[in-house]
């Protein structure tokens, strides 16, 4: 066991940290948000150039060849910067699915374009009625000639409004909540019959509702009736990446609060001199360190081939991240006071993103129930 | 000690209940119960109905439209108005400036302002907080100088709620910079149309526009617009802060929200069942109800304790109402998010910030769930943060 | 609604408060605990003289004629004094059962002796395997001639070691957890076949394990197959009394902590000057007031004839009492530091009694589940 | 960064695991795992077995029996010894006085004391805390005066854990009352059989006798029994406080307790099922496991960070280990009480305070449930209360 970064990891971390320092001040971020897609194509090109868009892909497909630790480093920095670009949708979800489910040819075709920044991907899985049940798929795919035709509606497709390619889960067999009978289809965003309605999410990112009316899939990834285990695995990996992003958010909220406390004067002295506020910011710090620690565990375990121990560890991580994040977010706002309630100040935006991560792919309560049902963490 | 309500008390409750639910338009009440924002016209409309029936300003002196109610009657008024989803009299008018003018204003001020204030013909806003002041309200720097028989005001106020609708503002100004900070403050009334006033919206993280900055640039106000004596404004502001104890805890509003959450949770699917079928959710809901029930009793104890005590002397125990009441309001937004689940994600506010779901993803109420959670962070910050309330209890009750 | 005490209530409160002030200093209490029964017969006579042992009985049976509020006043004062005598076992449980289930003749015989201080009663209901399920009764009562014969074992019979009369629930019909088929029997503590083993409980009070080997019951209270609803009702009433006692405990823990903070010096100043400790004692105060408030609600509702709303309200009260009590007890110890961990200082004893009340007749978690399953408190 | 353990590290873990579970009597380990108290002889026995195999004092300098282990090896030693239910070296000997003598003592002191200390031929106790001192340790008043070539000690110490078994005591004494409080303290070793020493038991609320008061009444100690320099005792005490970071969080012990709780909850009936079938209990248990898993990683991060750093400089982040570790130990006692339910009530300690259930009501483990809950309140009080730990983090890490 070694907590030190390798030379390559150190280089990666330095370059993504520098990127955030140079390009992701709060004011710069506001400008990106005002761009057409709600994020910056210029940044995207820069990410590609630094190798971030292929951070977790094999070098054979134009990737950086990194593993979970590399993704963690990038995501944490992106959290600190509150990055708007569709890294999570395209690289983590889209790239992850293709990597895990695709043939060599499919990977060659798509991963290399993702890594190069020339293909945006979104993952359309959640439906209006599915809540957090990953097996609850009602969109249908029916065989037509040698291809598949999709019908139905998908919800909150993260960055679905700008994606070039949409990966869609659809039911090819079985009934609504069956684990079997789910396929994963590659759909061109411009395909006939596909309509999408983009909108901002609470955290300033983008999503889309997408409907499919006899949409012809361009391709299928893996077994058209057996995609669920891969979807679950990629979502576990994605949760680990979200948790890393959350660590970045928490870090930034904590640091910003401590700095603010040192500058802000009330009753003639810096509020950092009030012992009550000191102790509360210490509790934020402890929560942050606990989150950072378990995130390392979750990051490693997200790569585990055993579905049960992988999923239990990832859920445990999301629980601690959710618990720490709620405390840190709410206290960051409270210790700042009114200013943190304004759009003009950065802390509120971190708090909102943290809140959305808590709700993404299962809340703290849902994941705690999952851990509780799957035995000891110290097995 | 008899903790049951008397028949008269229950009859009064029923009368209030019936009035609020039949006289105030249901469209307004539904929006309140769903956590949506009201338009200016809706707020005015309901206050005028209340005022027409003598129910807009029960806390005022009887000669100006107030009611000589018992503490229990005042409790039921507040509880029922909130339960019914009636916004009630605009707080700035009925709980803040009105009582101060009635107590400390000149006869001319009373005649000019009180009836119009009760009827919301004048919409008031509050000019207390300043940038950088926070909980240290008395450290304010906006100054007023008496020049040629006029107060000339310069400075900046902030967190001015609904200032964009206001006709008049009541402003705390520094009129003597050379004395202890609490002793050089005056309470001045100012027409918002006076030249030199600029209102700038503050956009809050929930996406709404509720608060504003108000800038004063050589704003000239007639000398007679001062309330009471020069340099006594801090006393009047403190009188006001302790004036309204029955509303501060928002018990009725929280009861209404919990009722609605229970209804929504019984509808919203979760797996093959409903959210309300999940024992963990139900227990979380019950825990909030239990704390709220305790708070309701605490409130009744505090208002019963007011009997025969001088008005305007805040009971430090009312800090409990503020602290616990705000905690409960915040927990309730957690519960709404729990019911909404993943459907909180779309930012679906319409232009007016009405909180309606314009995206169509998830149930209607879900669109307001996360904004309410963000917005309600304010209740433990404003009106004396919960840290300040703890300081008050530590000093005034525990004797530290 | 009127929070003011009536003249009679004021007199009662004054006399019980004076009693505690005169007879229940921490040092006096130690002496009582060292007496033969673990409490003071002399105090008991004094309680009788003041009318406390019949506080909730009709005047016809030698009682004070008080209602729930009167019981609350006595119990809260007893909590402040950390009273050792078997008031709860004899008057609240024993007296309550006789009052609710007995005939006029039974009441006349037993209640008047309880009120006079000449009869001690205990209630033997809990069994080794019943945990918190009141219907889980395995002790049997079988008809024999015109009487009943009892067999089996009862656990943690509060003050069962000193009782003259033991009220015993026993199964006359049905199987183990059936709601029907439970009777309530009056047994002489000296009856043949009854053996008891007394022991101290964690809080310094006394209890006994009692076994019945063909013990002949002296009498039966009410329907020999239908006692459960009355047992449930009396236990609801008893929980309300325990909650009132708990309010007294919490009050004393809070006051003692605040006083200690003002006297105790660390780093050259009273620890009450540390803002962190101030705020934490404020949180104790708020928890105390919330407990005191809901206890009034629970006290009134414990008298409700409707079993569902009564039981819901009592459970809600026990939840808040348990939550507040845990916070106040743990913080009282923490803010005192080591001294509160010693037997020689009073706070630890309050903390222990509070902990036992939390566990008596269902924990906070159990009662929260009950509330959650029974609909809104604001119905 | 590679967060997997190497094959060598895992081999070391397995070696430790095997050793502790085969060489230390199961009767001792079971008592520890059940939360019962050990006798003096049992504590001595197991330490001598450890010492015989060179595993009693791995943190000491190699020449005195220590091990030159990597941080991960030290982590596995602590984790496995706790998981196995082995009490390990008596902390006063191995973590407290031993390292101080090894670092600051004279050669004569080292020879005289270190081997006997490692082998528990001398049982040490600690004379630091005083009545009224609490967290302000440096305010101590027990004084030592050098008279006729002897230290004469007068004063009182308290919270002396297991002082009733001790052969020697290490005492902080004030040797110069005229300087800053930290600068006039000396570190003196004292035979408990010296005339003038009285040990008085303190009974604690769990019913046990773990701590004592120790009175010094003209206790005469040879001059050479001072460790290091006169008036430098505070530095040695601080060195000691930061010396042992891997044990402070009690991660291994907490893992062992949680494992046992899971076993007990799977047995203990609750209605028609078992306690472990209750989802709420399971979630509470899982939440503690999650926090413990996070703390385990925090501990690994902190010990990894020690590489190449000077010994004796406590990493302020280790305050997290103390705070969170004590919280978790306390939560675990809550869980045990949850499993025990109503069976916690009888006070069923035997005379030796062994924690065995002598009443026979409820399961065997239940007798120790409430006493453990009471007893573990201490872990957030002693060794620098959690409030002091927060002050340390506030100052040393957050820069307040």
């Amino acid at each position: 066991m070694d907590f030190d970064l390798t030379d390559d990891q150190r280089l990666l971390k330095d370059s993504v940290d520098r990127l955030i320092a140079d390009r992701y001040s709060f004011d710069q971020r506001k400008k990106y948000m005002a761009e057409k897609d709600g994020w910056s194509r210029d940044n995207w090109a820069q990410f590609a150039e630094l190798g971030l868009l292929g951070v977790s892909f094999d070098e054979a497909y134009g990737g950086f060849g990194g593993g979970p630790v590399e993704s963690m480093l990038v995501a944490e920095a992106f959290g600190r910067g509150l990055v708007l670009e569709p890294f999570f949708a395209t690289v983590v979800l889209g790239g992850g699915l293709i990597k895990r489910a695709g043939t060599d040819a499919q990977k060659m075709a798509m991963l290399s374009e993702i890594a190069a920044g020339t293909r945006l991907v979104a993952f359309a899985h959640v439906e209006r009625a599915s809540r957090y049940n990953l097996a609850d798929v009602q969109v249908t795919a029916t065989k037509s000639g040698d291809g598949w035709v999709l019908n139905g509606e998908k919800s909150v497709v993260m960055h679905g409004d700008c994606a070039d390619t949409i990966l869609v889960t659809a039911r090819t067999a079985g009934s609504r909540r069956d684990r079997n009978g789910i396929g994963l289809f590659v759909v061109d965003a411009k395909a006939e019959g596909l309509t999408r309605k983009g909108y901002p999410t609470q955290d300033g990112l983008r999503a889309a509702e997408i409907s499919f009316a006899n949409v012809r899939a361009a391709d299928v990834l893996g077994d058209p009736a057996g995609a669920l285990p891969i979807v679950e695995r990629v979502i576990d990996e994605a949760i680990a990446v979200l948790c890393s992003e959350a660590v970045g958010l928490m870090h930034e909220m904590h640091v910003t609060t401590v700095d603010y406390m040192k500058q802000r004067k009330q009753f003639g002295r810096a509020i950092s001199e009030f012992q009550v506020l000191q102790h509360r910011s210490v509790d934020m710090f402890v929560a942050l360190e606990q989150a950072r620690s378990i995130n390392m565990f979750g990051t490693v375990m997200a790569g585990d081939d055993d579905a049960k121990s992988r999923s239990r560890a990832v859920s445990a991580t999301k629980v601690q991240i959710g618990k720490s994040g709620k405390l840190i977010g709410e206290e960051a706002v409270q210790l700042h006071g009114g200013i943190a309630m304004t759009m003009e100040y950065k802390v509120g935006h971190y708090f909102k993103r943290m809140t959305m991560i808590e709700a993404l792919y299962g809340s703290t309560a849902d994941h705690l129930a999952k851990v509780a049902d799957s035995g000891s963490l110290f097995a | 000690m008899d903790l049951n309500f008397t028949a008269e008390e229950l009859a009064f409750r029923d009368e209030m209940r019936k009035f609020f639910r039949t006289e105030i338009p249901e469209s307004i009440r539904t929006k309140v119960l769903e956590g949506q924002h009201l338009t200016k016209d809706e707020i005015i409309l309901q206050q005028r109905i209340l005022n027409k029936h003598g129910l807009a300003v029960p806390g005022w002196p009887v000669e100006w439209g107030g009611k000589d109610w018992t503490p229990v009657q005042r409790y039921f008024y507040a509880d029922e108005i909130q339960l019914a989803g009636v916004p009630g009299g605009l707080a700035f008018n009925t709980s803040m400036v009105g009582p101060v003018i009635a107590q400390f204003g000149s006869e001319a001020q009373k005649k000019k302002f009180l009836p119009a204030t009760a009827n919301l013909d004048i919409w008031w806003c509050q000019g207390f907080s300043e940038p950088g002041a926070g909980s240290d309200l008395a450290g304010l720097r906006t100054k007023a100088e008496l020049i040629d028989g006029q107060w000339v005001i310069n400075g900046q106020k902030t967190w001015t709620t609904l200032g964009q609708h206001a006709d008049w503002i009541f402003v705390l100004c520094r009129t003597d910079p050379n004395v202890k900070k609490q002793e050089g403050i005056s309470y001045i009334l100012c027409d918002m149309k006076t030249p030199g006033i600029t209102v700038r919206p503050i956009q809050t993280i929930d996406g709404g526009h509720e608060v504003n900055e108000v800038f004063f640039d050589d704003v000239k106000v007639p000398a007679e617009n001062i309330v009471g004596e020069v340099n006594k404004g801090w006393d009047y502001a403190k009188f006001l802060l302790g004036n309204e104890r029955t509303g501060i805890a928002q018990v009725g509003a929280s009861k209404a929200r919990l009722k609605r959450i229970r209804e929504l949770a019984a509808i919203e699917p979760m797996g093959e069942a409903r959210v309300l079928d999940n024992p963990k959710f139900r227990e979380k809901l019950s825990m909030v109800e239990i704390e709220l029930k305790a708070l309701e009793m605490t409130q009744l104890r505090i208002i019963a304790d007011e009997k025969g005590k001088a008005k305007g002397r805040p009971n430090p125990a009312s800090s409990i109402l503020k602290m616990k009441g705000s905690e409960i309001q915040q927990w309730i937004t957690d519960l709404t998010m729990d019911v909404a689940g993943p459907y909180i994600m779309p930012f679906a506010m319409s232009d007016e910030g009405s909180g309606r779901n314009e995206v169509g993803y998830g149930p209607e109420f879900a669109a307001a769930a996360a904004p309410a959670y963000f917005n309600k962070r304010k209740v433990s910050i404003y009106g004396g943060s919960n840290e300040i309330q703890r300081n008050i209890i530590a000093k005034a009750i525990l004797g530290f």
Side-chain angles (χ1 to χ4, degrees), chain A, chain B:
Chain A
M1 174 177 258
D2 184 3
F3 285 89
D4 293 336
L5 298 181
T6 63
D7 288 346
D8 280 356
Q9 288 168 342
R10 169 65 52 195
L11 277 172
L12 174 68
K13 179 164 164 40
D14 286 349
S15 76
V16 66
D17 285 355
R18 202 172 324 112
L19 176 82
I20 297 303
D22 291 348
R23 292 192 167 238
Y24 252 96
S25 73
F26 186 60
D27 285 335
Q28 285 169 315
R29 179 176 182 273
K30 267 190 216 162
K31 293 203 190 94
Y32 305 146
M33 204 186 287
E35 290 189 25
K36 184 177 131 289
D37 294 313
W39 52 274
S40 157
R41 296 265 170 181
D42 186 39
N43 281 342
W44 196 248
Q46 188 68 22
F47 294 178
E49 201 174 311
L50 292 173
L52 307 182
L53 302 184
V55 64
S56 51
F57 308 157
D58 282 354
E59 287 164 28
Y61 311 120
F64 181 87
V69 172
E70 284 72 14
S71 292
M72 178 183 85
L73 294 172
V74 173
E76 199 194 315
F78 279 13
R80 280 185 273 117
L82 214 49
V83 162
L84 297 161
E85 283 70 23
F87 174 79
F88 182 74
T90 296
V91 179
V92 179
L93 289 174
L97 289 164
I98 295 161
K99 198 169 74 172
R100 293 274 175 214
T103 61
D104 198 59
Q106 286 169 327
K107 290 191 244 186
M108 194 61 84
M110 292 191 278
L111 293 183
S112 56
E113 286 184 23
I114 292 174
T118 53
R119 188 197 287 252
L120 300 175
V121 182
F123 177 38
H125 178 63
V126 173
E127 298 178 8
R128 162 66 182 94
S130 62
R131 210 170 164 103
Y132 293 130
N133 182 350
L134 295 180
D136 192 343
V137 170
Q138 296 188 79
V139 166
T140 58
T142 36
K143 197 86 189 159
S144 164
D146 56 356
W148 296 87
V149 170
L150 274 55
N151 278 288
E153 301 192 353
K154 291 288 187 181
S155 275
V156 219
V157 181
M158 320 261 299
H159 284 105
D161 54 346
C162 61
D164 304 305
T165 300
I166 302 181
L167 305 181
V168 188
T169 48
R171 189 158 286 290
T172 56
S175 57
R176 183 171 161 193
R177 296 189 185 88
D178 285 354
R179 290 185 53 82
N180 290 317
I182 298 170
L184 180 59
F185 300 90
V186 181
V187 177
D188 190 304
K190 299 205 179 66
E192 202 175 333
L194 184 154
T195 53
R196 48 185 173 174
K197 180 182 173 191
Y199 52 83
T201 48
Q202 297 286 349
D203 49 16
L205 274 65
R206 304 280 308 175
E209 302 293 288
I210 304 186
S211 64
F212 302 85
N214 294 316
V215 173
R216 190 156 266 285
D219 204 350
V220 57
L221 291 169
D223 175 0
L228 189 60
I230 287 170
V231 167
E232 288 175 333
R233 175 162 201 168
V234 171
I235 285 178
D236 278 343
E237 293 170 332
I239 289 173
V241 172
L242 279 178
C243 288
S244 300
E245 184 187 341
V247 169
L249 298 171
M250 290 183 225
H251 173 87
E252 205 61 25
M253 287 194 278
H254 179 251
V255 164
T256 305
T257 303
V258 167
D259 285 350
Y260 181 80
M261 284 171 63
K262 290 176 182 173
Q263 285 151 27
R264 167 81 167 150
K265 288 207 160 54
Q266 291 247 281
F267 304 103
R269 49 181 178 149
I271 64 170
S272 61
E273 293 178 33
F274 291 97
Q275 193 195 19
V276 152
L277 307 186
Q278 287 186 2
H279 279 209
R280 285 167 60 179
S281 65
V282 168
D283 288 340
M284 292 169 72
F285 173 73
V286 173
L288 166 63
E289 291 306 314
Q290 285 287 86
R292 197 190 295 281
S293 290
I294 205 161
N295 185 54
M296 291 176 179
F297 169 69
T299 296
V300 172
M301 291 299 292
D304 198 327
D305 286 331
D306 178 64
K308 189 171 175 191
S309 58
R310 179 190 75 226
S311 162
R312 177 168 57 212
V314 167
S315 288
T317 303
K318 193 149 194 302
V319 169
Q320 180 71 58
I321 293 286
K323 186 181 173 190
S324 290
K326 190 164 168 62
L327 181 135
I328 292 170
E330 293 181 356
E331 286 290 74
V333 172
Q334 183 71 22
L335 297 185
H336 272 87
I339 192 173
M341 298 285 298
T342 68
M343 284 288 204
E344 290 168 27
Y345 191 76
K346 62 182 174 179
V347 157
H349 297 269
Y350 287 91
F351 174 53
K352 291 202 287 183
R353 176 68 182 151
M354 187 67 235
T355 304
M356 291 307 110
I357 288 180
E358 201 275 335
L360 258 175
Y361 296 118
S363 67
T364 306
D366 295 305
H367 282 285
L368 181 56
K370 279 180 71 178
V371 178
D373 290 345
S374 76
S376 171
L377 265 183
F378 295 101
Chain B
M1 188 182 259
D2 180 356
L3 300 181
N4 296 300
F5 294 109
T6 64
E8 293 76 27
E9 288 167 345
L10 292 174
F12 178 86
R13 180 197 65 187
D14 293 343
E15 183 197 329
M16 289 296 116
R17 182 171 296 181
K18 180 158 174 247
F19 175 83
F20 296 133
R21 290 169 198 226
T22 51
E23 299 294 326
I24 307 296
E26 193 172 348
S27 61
I28 291 179
R29 299 192 298 109
T30 304
K31 278 173 96 169
V32 170
L33 293 174
E34 295 286 341
Q36 296 171 20
H37 296 282
L38 296 182
T39 65
K40 180 178 180 179
D41 288 345
E42 287 168 327
I43 294 171
I44 292 174
L45 172 66
Q46 59 91 35
Q47 181 156 343
R48 290 189 181 156
I49 297 172
L50 292 173
N51 197 40
K52 200 172 90 188
H53 294 83
L55 290 173
V57 290
W60 289 14
V62 173
E63 61 171 312
W64 294 107
K67 297 284 191 187
D68 194 19
W69 281 341
T70 64
V72 168
Q73 287 176 314
R74 280 185 281 137
Y75 158 75
F76 274 133
Y77 171 83
D79 201 51
E80 290 297 333
I81 204 169
Q82 291 173 17
L83 273 174
V86 176
L90 185 73
F92 309 105
N93 285 38
T94 61
S95 309
M96 298 187 177
V97 77
V100 169
I101 293 174
Q103 180 83 8
F104 303 105
S106 66
E107 279 310 304
Q109 284 171 338
K110 292 181 194 175
K111 280 192 194 127
K112 174 172 177 186
F113 289 117
L114 290 181
T117 297
N119 205 45
L120 203 43
D121 299 333
I122 296 173
W123 183 303
W124 287 93
C125 67
Q126 185 191 56
F128 281 14
S129 292
E130 297 189 2
S135 293
D136 184 10
L137 193 57
L140 59 88
R141 286 175 302 184
T142 294
K143 67 177 176 186
E145 293 168 291
L146 197 57
I147 299 172
D148 299 335
Q150 289 187 313
W151 292 106
V152 180
I153 305 177
N154 279 287
Q156 184 190 343
K157 296 290 177 180
T158 191
W159 311 124
T160 303
T161 302
L162 300 181
Q164 69 268 39
H165 300 328
D167 305 304
W168 281 73
I169 185 168
F170 48 103
V171 202
L172 288 182
C173 299
R174 185 151 307 282
T175 41
D176 186 345
N178 301 316
V179 291
K180 236 182 85 186
K181 60 185 177 182
Q182 289 84 355
E183 292 168 8
I185 293 170
S186 296
Y187 192 111
I188 295 173
L189 311 177
C190 177
D191 190 326
M192 290 291 279
K193 290 185 297 293
T194 319
I197 294 184
T198 314
V199 177
R200 196 181 77 88
I202 297 175
Q203 210 192 1
T204 44
I205 52 171
D206 58 338
H209 168 207
E210 202 174 45
V211 286
N212 303 271
E213 293 180 297
V214 182
F215 297 85
F216 294 81
D217 183 16
D218 279 334
V219 174
K220 298 193 177 64
V221 176
E224 71 261 24
N225 280 19
I226 192 167
V227 173
E229 293 177 50
V230 177
N231 293 335
K232 293 269 194 249
W234 183 250
D235 295 342
Y236 310 150
K238 267 176 53 187
F239 164 85
L240 185 151
L241 291 175
N243 191 61
E244 194 56 41
R245 285 161 217 166
T246 45
I248 196 176
Q250 290 288 307
V251 171
S254 289
K255 282 198 267 187
R257 289 297 307 150
L258 287 170
K259 181 162 177 281
R260 187 70 188 126
I261 286 170
R262 200 174 270 279
E263 288 164 5
L264 295 168
I267 296 167
E268 188 58 25
M270 188 179 210
E272 319 231 352
R274 307 285 156 175
V275 173
L276 195 61
D277 296 321
N278 180 333
K280 201 158 58 173
F281 173 79
R282 276 208 309 278
E283 293 193 3
K284 197 170 163 187
L285 175 59
S286 289
M287 194 64 242
V288 178
E289 287 195 347
I290 291 167
E291 287 272 9
L292 182 61
K293 173 54 81 177
L295 189 67
E296 183 176 40
M297 295 299 296
T298 301
Q299 175 169 280
L300 283 162
R301 288 169 55 210
I302 288 174
I303 61 181
D305 191 50
E306 283 178 26
K307 268 189 312 192
K309 289 201 180 159
K311 265 200 144 187
R313 211 47 94 59
N315 179 342
S318 61
S319 289
I320 300 177
L321 302 181
K322 173 63 169 58
M323 275 173 63
K324 208 74 206 183
S326 57
E327 276 181 23
I328 289 171
Q329 290 174 68
Q330 291 174 340
W331 292 338
I332 286 173
T333 64
D334 281 333
L335 289 169
T336 313
M337 288 210 297
D338 288 343
V339 182
Y343 310 122
I344 64 169
M345 291 207 65
F347 180 74
M349 302 282 272
S350 69
D351 283 346
E352 313 92 63
S354 72
R356 286 178 54 80
N357 182 347
E358 314 255 308
V359 167
Y361 169 58
E364 177 77 28
F365 78 91
Y373 171 68
F374 301 141
N375 183 276
K376 288 293 179 193
R377 308 316 310 165
K378 73 185 177 193
V379 298
S380 52
I381 295 172
Y382 70 13
S385 71
N386 283 5
E387 289 74 36
I388 295 290
Q389 305 300 332
R390 285 190 178 87
N391 287 346
I392 291 171
I393 293 176
K395 195 173 165 182
I397 300 183
L398 306 187
F400 290 137

